Amino acid sequence: MNEQGMQSAEKAVSQVLGAGSITWTSDVNGNFFGWVKLCDSKSLLSIAPPLAEIGARLMTVTAYGNDKFGRIAGHGIAYHFDLDGVVVTVSVCLPDSPPRVPSITPWFQNADWNEREFAELYGIILEDHPNPRRLFLDKGLDAAILDRLVPLSTMMNGASTSTLWEKVFAGKQLPEWTKGENNS
Amino acid sequence: MTSTTYTLPVGPLHVALEEPMYFDIQVEGETVRSVELAAGHVHRGMEALAMQRNYFQNVTLTERVCSLCSNSHPCTYCMAVENLSGILVPQRAQYLRVIADEVKRIASHLFNVGIMAHLTGFDSLFMHAMEIREIMQDAKEGVYGNRMNLGQCIISGCRRDIDDSTGPFLLGQLELLKPQLDELYGVFERDPLIRTRTRGIGLLSFEAAKRHAVVGPVARASGVAYDVRRKAPYAVYPDLDFEVQTDTKGDVHSRALLRLREAVESVKIIKQCLRQMPEGPINIKAIPPIPPGEAVARSEAPRGELFYYLRSDGKDTPQRLKWRVPTYMNWEALQDMLANCQVADIALIVNSIDPCISCTER
Amino acid sequence: MLQFLSKLAPRSPWIYRINAGSCNGCDVEMATTALIPRYDVERLGCKYCGSPRHADVVLISGPLTLRVRDKVLRVYNEIPHPKVTVAVGVCPVSGGCFRDGYSVGADIDHYIPLDVIVPGCPPRPQAIMEGVLKAVEVWRARLEEGICSHS
Amino acid sequence: MTDILEAAFAILIFPGGLFALALGLFLKGTDRKVLARLQRRVGPPLYQPVLDIIKLMTKETLIPSTANEVAFRLAPVLGLTGVLVTAAVMPIGGVWSGVNGLGDLLILLYLLPIPAMGLMLAGGASSSPYGALGFSREMCLMFAYEMPLIASFLAVAVRVGGATGSLLSLPAIMDYQFQHGPLLFDPVMLPAALALILFIPGTMGSGLFDIPEAEPEVIEGPLLEYSGPLLAVFHLMSVVKLVVVLELAVALLCPNPLVAGGGAGVLANLAWHICKCLVLLMVSVTCFRAATGRLRLDQGFSFFVKYTSPLALVSLGLAFMLR
Amino acid sequence: MLPFLKIMLRNLILGPSTDPFPFAPAKTHKNFRGCAVFDPEKCILCGICRHVCAAGAIQLRVSEDGSGMQYMLWHNSCVFCGMCAHYCPTGALTMSDNWHLVHTGAEMFSNCISSFIPFGECAQCGAKIQPRTQAIIDKIGERSPERFLLCPKCKRESIVRNVAKVNHLPAEENP
């Protein structure tokens, strides 16, 4: 049912990256998902204009660490577009450090918030963004919080959990051994 | 800036706003000159939490993103997991998911139009709309056990079946609801006060709607006929008969009426589901491990398109779980809608996009 | 006379809601409880007020996010004594699902003493009403104590 | 000496003072109860406004650090005093014919805005942007609703004065109605009566005209920063104001007593008067509020200019032609 | 012209729709998801409840002497999602319809389920195994109740013996 979207996406992408650069998957209801991989963040600038031209709608942008515990360096950013019911995800790898990425706001106005968000969460540097302020994070928090925090919290219990639980256990007049760290 | 201009801080804890959000509004007399939106008050770092919790815990966690669309979130999350791991959800469970979604949609839309009446000071109408919503709240409590967080979706299906006792109960509540909903539509359509206050304000043209890429009822009221249930159907929506509601006026009034019409469509959908639902299991007992890879899933939440992106590295917690809620798209369009409006209309216009801050800021 | 007043005063509990970063669930239920005919808290003398300075009973929901913390504390301090705090939902007490998030404070009790707790996610309106009634008891006890200590 | 005592009695006990307060609280309680019924609620007990006042008396008074403290404390007191004085000059048909020389429509024109001025002072003193916004809204709306009030006053005066010229004294207006029947049933005065009935929700800020204290827009405007006893004084002021405007409308439109003569008749007349106030309250405040929401400031303003004022002017014109 | 007037008039005639609560008990549907109820007799200490609990409301701690585990469910952290009850293999955890949970701030930390679950003992060697109360045997151990009471080691040995017996028999008959 979304043949047209597929075709125009195929055309726009292969125009820039050559044929076969988009792979397709589908779900049980016959909805198609296109996947494009870019290895250079600069090529984003060449693929954004043709996508904008065929009327793609930027749905959102996801940034991620190549490994969430930070054991492998590098980040990726996935740009999710909608073309009349077809979802095309363009993933960009950002191997260099510090990670940099050009802004696509000239073609997709609503990229504004998405870009600010990943910039503050992952410390990714945005080039040519019209309004690169913080979006959600409180001033008291460090930038790139997702990069730093996840390794820290690999211990299952965070600080406030253990304090609260100590109070719960303390209130019950249980034997001494219950008050130690969680040991099961 | 002239001397008659002054700054009016709205929020973050403002009675008109259901949730903490903050605007600095430059006001000249009673007219708004510029609006500065500040976000982040409900930012709970949920995406980081989702990366620390395992796939089971994330069902509950995503349900708490926002309690007004609290079925769409876990449902779309489960769809993403199922897309990634190739789990086939039983047909009956698909129907149950649609029913839960539509029940939530009715309640959410009624809440929004009720709040609109409240913001115009029409408290009697607000109470009337909320009383009608109570019918749906009772249905949720009776069928699922909670008035807001249904806890219906799990990976591979649903938790609670609609059986011989809850099925007729739900149907009875719908029969009770339908005539009252129709009457309410008439009131909202014709009441002179509602018309005076809400028509022609918060305008969003078709072009602006396209430019801001708005979704959901906001887009549909501006003439953008995009409904994920039809454009990229999921669950059993292809087998169901309903109409995508659109309008072209793009003002506060048309958005409210559109929501009420959608609620009526939802009643229709639930009735069809209850009729067509096949027998069978409602979930799969053995869930395979989640393989490494990436997947996306979409659904039409009450406020518009909801999008989930899941990236797995094969462990029992997601490598990355990201979601984009409808308000995230609609929020920036407020800049257009609020331009040169009156102070008294700010709350009405903001409410007309049915803002869900806790969704947006996560 | 004062004894008599302290009996009468808690029969007019005015309610104020603070949303400290909640997911809407408790918030919507509080609005439902406070404003709609089915529960009609006005028959208990309750009135929902828009300004913290008019409030007696404060309903708090949400896990107290970092960004909203100072603002919540400011609003809380604007409420005249004697005031009673009711935590609606489990988030203000323990953070619920959101505990250990990097921008969640979780133990609201550290900043604002919680007098009454209404567990639930979200609690049903009847439970919130029970919470308000409990808060009125706490308030009455406090008034009586205060008067005793004055005399 | 007796004049002073009489005036003091009028201001402190009856018909101002205690009586007005009690009547006002009773009217307020009834209003809330009936409103609740119209919304399918049980509603608060009838004496709830009294409990509210008692509660507020036990609360702490907070004064915002940025506020002008003197003006902040003075505003409610000024408002209440003004409105109590106004209540004292209100005549009650068959019970009380007003303080000599004070019951004049011109004086009322000066006395009636005092509560609004108290609110404006409060809004200005609290130095919050919402207070300021409430202040400007109150002022704007006051201009709008004073116009039809003046016009209907004049219409009444001309009609009552007849060929001899206009009469502005309230006792004289009442006397006219005792002889010629209530003005409410005078077809010439019907438009003015309507304007007067619409003036009541305007000045009380209810229904369509709940603009200066609109909760979701300006968070109760001028009252935003008030707490404790000072807020209680404002509440008392508003209930007495309710009594004043209702009694004024009753005096202008239908002051006729139930029975003539003194003794037990006075009590019957008093009860009759309260009944009339209640009916007027139901029509112009309670039902009006239940059936409508609030207009925007500009819409509220033009409502008075477009509909209410012309109504009163029609009566005025007719009264002129027919005298 | 005023469509709401009709509704208002009807409201007046129909009278209040207010629930009698709090002056009379409120109606509670039997499906209501209230606080969790724990039956220590049925718990096998598998920990699945803790695994699926997004709110971290469940804790299990092994006692010092290794004789059992302390089971704790803190209602003030529980988000009433019912995942624990859904995944509990023995039905030890269920969601009741009890919503009367209001308590004062002083009871904040004591509002919990606290139960000591002793480990079972292997019927053969006495090693500590998961609890084996009668309720559990009835629920999940009915296929071979004797073997169900053994520790993994003894269970393995018993299976091996059985297999050996089966394999051995024909060998003896055919010399």
Side-chain angles (χ1 to χ4, degrees), chain E:
Chain E
M1 179 196 159
L2 283 168
F4 193 73
L5 281 181
K6 201 178 113 198
I7 294 173
M8 216 169 81
L9 208 68
R10 198 176 61 207
N11 285 350
L12 202 60
I13 295 164
L14 287 176
S17 64
T18 309
D19 281 355
F21 185 83
F23 305 111
K27 188 170 163 268
T28 311
H29 204 279
K30 69 172 171 31
N31 277 346
F32 187 80
R33 237 182 310 126
C35 74
V37 180
F38 180 65
D39 181 359
E41 285 294 299
K42 289 187 190 160
C43 181
I44 53 166
L45 295 174
C46 65
I48 186 80
C49 48
R50 192 186 54 186
H51 184 73
V52 298
C53 180
I58 297 170
Q59 291 249 313
L60 287 161
R61 291 184 181 182
V62 179
S63 72
E64 211 170 36
D65 56 359
S67 62
M69 273 175 136
Q70 183 67 34
Y71 186 97
M72 293 283 254
L73 190 156
W74 185 24
H75 291 308
N76 282 350
S77 185
C78 169
V79 291
F80 301 80
C81 63
M83 287 288 263
C84 47
H86 179 78
Y87 283 107
C88 182
T90 60
L93 263 175
T94 43
M95 301 307 274
S96 68
D97 60 1
N98 175 19
W99 49 272
H100 301 276
L101 299 167
V102 173
H103 57 278
T104 58
E107 304 157 63
M108 185 188 296
F109 293 113
S110 51
N111 180 32
C112 58
I113 292 171
S114 163
S115 184
F116 182 77
I117 319 273
F119 286 127
E121 281 179 2
C122 174
Q124 216 150 37
C125 68
K128 296 286 178 227
I129 56 168
Q130 285 185 325
R132 292 290 182 258
T133 59
Q134 195 55 47
I136 297 165
I137 298 169
D138 294 345
K139 174 94 185 168
I140 52 173
E142 61 217 337
R143 214 151 38 113
S144 56
E146 305 81 41
R147 202 175 290 158
F148 189 65
L149 291 172
L150 301 178
C151 71
K153 189 160 153 266
C154 298
K155 200 183 287 176
R156 208 157 41 236
E157 280 168 4
S158 116
I159 294 170
V160 168
R161 254 199 315 275
N162 273 357
V163 171
K165 212 188 275 168
V166 171
N167 286 345
H168 206 59
L169 280 174
E172 266 184 345
E173 279 167 14
N174 301 309

Side-chain angles (χ1 to χ4, degrees), chain B residues 127-138:
Chain B
M127 289 176 187
H128 185 66
M130 290 296 273
E131 278 289 275
I132 297 175
R133 179 175 175 266
E134 282 298 303
I135 299 174
M136 239 40 230
Q137 296 294 90
D138 272 347

Side-chain angles (χ1 to χ4, degrees), chain C residues 5 8-9 11-12 14 37 40 42-43 45 47-48 50-51 53-56 77-82 139, chain D residues 32 39-44 47-48 51-52 54-55 59-60 62 215 219-220 223-227 231:
Chain C
L5 283 187
L8 287 183
R11 291 178 62 183
S12 151
W14 289 4
D40 189 31
E42 207 185 357
R43 83 203 131 115
K47 200 177 100 175
Y48 170 57
S51 163
R53 293 186 193 269
H54 305 177
D56 308 303
N77 288 328
E78 279 180 8
I79 301 168
H81 285 289
W139 182 14
Chain D
R32 284 175 68 175
Q39 295 169 338
R40 290 200 83 181
R41 291 185 292 131
V42 175
Y47 49 85
Q48 188 62 41
L51 291 176
D52 289 349
I54 291 174
K55 190 276 308 283
K59 296 282 283 187
E60 180 189 23
L62 293 171
E215 195 186 271
I219 332 183
E220 312 192 8
L223 297 184
L224 167 66
E225 301 285 348
Y226 277 88
S227 65
L231 184 64

